[in-house]
Amino acid sequence: SGQSTKKMPTETKNVSIIGAGMAGTMLAILMARRGYEIDLFEQHPDPNSGERNIELASNLALGERARHALRITGLIEQVDRLATPMRGRMIHDRSGRITLQPYGYQDYETLFSVRRESLQQCLLYEAGNSDRIRVHFDHRLRTIDWDAKKATFSTDENGGGHAHDFEVLIGADGPASKVRRLMQDDTDLGADIQMLEAGYKFLTIPPDEHHEPLMDPNAVHVWPRGGYMLLAFAGPDGSFTATLFLPLKGDHKMIWGFEELDSWTRQGAFMDANFQDVTPLMPHLEEEFRDNPVGRMGTVRLNRWHLGGKALLIGDAAHAIVPFHGQGVNSALEDCTTLDSILDEGPESWEAAFQTLQERRKENTNAIADMALDAYHTMRESVRHRDFLLRKALERELELRHPKRFVARYSLVMFHRIPYTEAYQRGQVQGVIMDELLAGKDDLPDVDLELAARLVEERLEEVSVLL
Ligand code: FAD
């Protein structure tokens, strides 16, 4: 829409993007609409070509930030048709008892589970509809000559290759970004990369013989167990992908790690002992333990996201986070919509556009990195504790009483688009208010709600943009 009327920041016509993942493909779509010619390079074959992998078959939770990007590219209806709404967390305790913790009391406080593959295909299909986007599958970035502005790719296992001259290059090649490493060879980006001492493995819960899901599909299922946990969400076919999060190495006593679970005997016994209500629903557990790799997770923080006006990093390449807040895709797509609005403002150069993006996003992506690490501890541990539940009950009460001022941090992150830093800061103020109200109290009726009203009025402005 309005392709030719949108401003171009410079005379550049061609933009080269590395990585046709979520961020790379979304950015290609947005930039093609502005009139740029896009070369999009992806190491993997076309996902429509039939090659499958478990990573692509897993489900993702989408919140408002991702949905906003899908809305402005006209893809939301299509994605919604493939999505399963999820209204809260279903906590499974050791005895198999389940409790629903709703995400909120408003209708919009709903997450949407989609198969990674479906979202990817939807974006690639849209990209394929543009005659300004050329997608080059089976192109793995190998080298970049920054002075000559030339990138080389390997195109097959037999040493085949391709060289490409670029004007502007955008690295959207994920957490282990090659573009980032090649940029670092040229300039110090101030990278801080912290890997988690835990890994994950995908497992599946197929539907029953009538293709019906075996658990409630409208919730995120969580089995919090202290040092580790299991998580599952539903796909559109009635199956669930479950993710087992476990330390890489245990202590050989109380805590098991992937390293100790080195035989089916131990794996099966561990699953039965810890997740007894769901293990019987996993008929392929043994093969999946054997065949699915242990994934690694980490946090990437950079001081600089760009090399002048030559190159920029976006998405996980610039700011990978641990997956426990379910915000990686949301945040990657928010980079794309933010860059799109910066280009609307008519920056005088690519360097100015990239610098503005870094200024608007860096603090925010650092804030979501911190909140994702917090969520790791909360989900493994506190969701099963009484204090946590009392706090949740108070939080909900304050939300109902003060809907414009008191909004749970989780909700600000997942269901709103206010900057992550603001969500973080409000969360801290709200946390202190709750600490003060709960000091010495064991039950919700003991809380002084008049004091609560005063503290909320005094310390919290109204939330500026709700949705
Ligand atoms: P990616 O999606 O990683 O895409 C990078 C692309 O670049 C890939 O297609 C890759 O093949 C390609 N590439 C890499 N190297 C090269 C190269 N050298 N040459 C050419 N191409 C290359 N986020 C959510 O919002 N909700 C969730 O529920 C959620 N759950 C998650 C669960 C797990 C277990 C994990 C690990 C992550 C989860 N995330 C979730 C995070 C999310 O997956 C990432 O944040 C998101 O995929 C980042 O998008 P991206 O486009 O930046 O990178």
Side-chain angles (χ1 to χ4, degrees):
S1 58
Q3 293 192 346
S4 51
T5 61
K6 296 215 167 166
K7 284 179 249 170
M8 315 265 274
T10 69
E11 294 306 302
T12 314
K13 285 266 267 295
N14 301 300
V15 175
S16 303
I17 301 177
I18 313 296
M22 306 297 171
T25 316
M26 174 58 78
L27 191 65
I29 295 167
L30 290 169
M31 293 193 92
R33 290 182 183 193
R34 303 192 154 269
Y36 296 105
E37 296 290 330
I38 311 292
D39 284 289
L40 177 58
F41 295 95
E42 168 58 44
Q43 63 180 351
H44 288 136
D46 186 341
N48 290 313
S49 69
E51 280 199 26
R52 314 241 129 222
N53 71 51
I54 180 70
E55 198 79 42
L56 277 176
S58 68
N59 298 319
L60 289 168
L62 300 182
E64 178 54 26
R65 294 167 208 266
R67 294 175 62 74
H68 174 70
L70 294 168
R71 225 175 268 127
I72 63 176
T73 42
L75 297 171
I76 193 75
E77 279 87 15
Q78 228 172 308
V79 172
D80 274 350
R81 257 180 265 129
L82 304 166
T84 309
M86 303 186 295
R87 301 299 313 268
R89 289 192 189 113
M90 193 75 91
I91 308 297
H92 297 242
D93 75 10
R94 280 188 182 274
S95 66
R97 198 179 49 199
I98 56 177
T99 329
L100 179 69
Q101 295 176 355
Y103 286 133
Y105 61 94
Q106 310 260 28
D107 265 352
Y108 67 77
E109 293 175 301
T110 301
L111 289 178
F112 293 84
S113 167
V114 290
R115 200 159 268 253
R116 188 182 282 270
E117 189 174 40
S118 314
L119 181 58
Q120 195 60 67
Q121 281 168 350
C122 194
L123 290 169
L124 281 169
Y125 185 80
E126 181 66 18
N129 281 338
S130 165
D131 52 16
R132 295 211 176 101
I133 302 176
R134 284 168 301 279
V135 191
H136 310 271
F137 291 107
D138 293 306
H139 275 62
R140 181 193 297 264
L141 175 69
R142 223 169 38 193
T143 64
I144 298 175
D145 179 334
W146 294 110
D147 294 327
K149 290 193 174 181
K150 191 183 278 294
T152 65
F153 299 85
S154 28
T155 51
D156 61 49
E157 263 108 67
N158 313 320
H162 171 75
H164 171 77
D165 295 311
F166 64 87
E167 290 183 59
V168 174
L169 184 122
I170 297 180
D173 52 344
S177 173
K178 179 83 178 183
V179 179
R180 185 178 71 224
R181 278 179 278 149
L182 295 171
M183 280 166 79
Q184 294 250 66
D185 291 343
D186 185 85
T187 302
D188 182 9
L189 303 178
D192 171 18
I193 301 178
Q194 305 283 340
M195 296 309 289
L196 216 58
E197 294 299 314
Y200 66 89
K201 192 179 277 278
F202 287 122
L203 306 169
T204 52
I205 303 166
D208 70 9
E209 67 273 25
H210 309 292
H211 308 286
E212 292 297 326
L214 289 168
M215 301 185 297
D216 181 351
N218 301 117
V220 174
H221 293 261
V222 190
W223 292 257
R225 297 292 183 263
Y228 51 96
M229 69 172 171
L230 185 73
L231 198 83
F233 7 116
D237 59 351
S239 70
F240 284 79
T241 44
T243 317
L244 174 65
F245 294 96
L246 201 66
L248 295 171
K249 246 177 140 115
D251 61 4
H252 292 272
K253 286 192 280 281
M254 300 296 287
I255 296 177
W256 290 83
F258 281 113
E259 199 177 287
E260 288 83 42
L261 296 182
D262 55 1
S263 65
W264 168 240
T265 317
R266 288 182 171 182
Q267 292 157 0
F270 172 81
M271 293 299 290
D272 283 336
N274 288 288
F275 311 109
Q276 55 155 330
D277 62 329
V278 69
T279 310
L281 312 182
M282 298 174 152
H284 311 301
L285 197 53
E286 182 174 355
E287 299 93 274
E288 289 175 338
F289 253 104
R290 188 188 59 219
D291 299 340
N292 295 345
V294 173
R296 297 290 317 266
M297 300 164 282
T299 305
V300 172
R301 295 174 209 255
L302 302 181
N303 254 336
R304 283 188 64 168
W305 291 15
H306 66 102
L307 275 192
K310 263 184 220 175
L312 168 74
L313 296 169
I314 58 164
D316 275 17
H319 49 76
I321 56 178
V322 296
F324 304 97
H325 215 307
Q327 277 290 306
V329 170
N330 288 277
S331 171
L333 298 189
E334 198 166 57
D335 286 350
C336 302
T337 51
T338 307
L339 184 59
D340 193 49
S341 31
I342 291 169
L343 293 177
D344 247 350
E345 294 160 18
E348 56 192 38
S349 64
W350 285 105
E351 177 161 12
F354 294 170
Q355 179 61 24
T356 307
L357 180 75
Q358 179 188 306
E359 278 161 18
R360 289 197 195 159
R361 292 293 289 157
K362 196 170 78 178
E363 295 297 308
N364 286 304
T365 55
N366 283 337
I368 188 60
D370 290 340
M371 292 189 280
L373 284 162
D374 265 11
Y376 176 47
H377 301 292
T378 315
M379 286 187 83
R380 287 193 312 171
E381 194 59 71
S382 354
V383 284
R384 44 188 198 146
H385 288 163
R386 205 175 158 279
D387 287 355
F388 177 81
L389 298 177
L390 175 58
R391 225 178 150 76
K392 277 276 149 208
L394 174 61
E395 188 174 71
R396 198 180 155 108
E397 184 68 31
L398 296 177
E399 285 192 301
L400 285 165
R401 287 173 177 265
H402 310 283
K404 294 215 172 81
R405 289 176 195 263
F406 196 106
V407 180
R409 185 177 95 179
Y410 183 84
S411 184
L412 291 172
V413 169
M414 301 305 271
F415 308 118
H416 295 262
R417 289 194 294 117
I418 73 167
Y420 287 129
T421 45
E422 205 178 315
Y424 188 86
Q425 283 151 11
R426 294 186 77 95
Q428 286 194 311
V429 174
Q430 292 175 171
V432 170
I433 292 177
M434 289 197 287
D435 287 343
E436 290 181 27
L437 293 171
L438 287 171
K441 307 281 194 294
D442 321 303
D443 225 337
L444 196 54
D446 305 335
V447 170
D448 180 347
L449 290 170
E450 270 172 41
L451 173 63
R454 215 166 54 239
L455 296 180
V456 168
E457 285 283 319
E458 276 169 21
R459 298 184 194 171
L460 290 164
E461 302 276 308
E462 288 192 6
V463 179
S464 47
V465 226
L466 281 169
L467 288 180

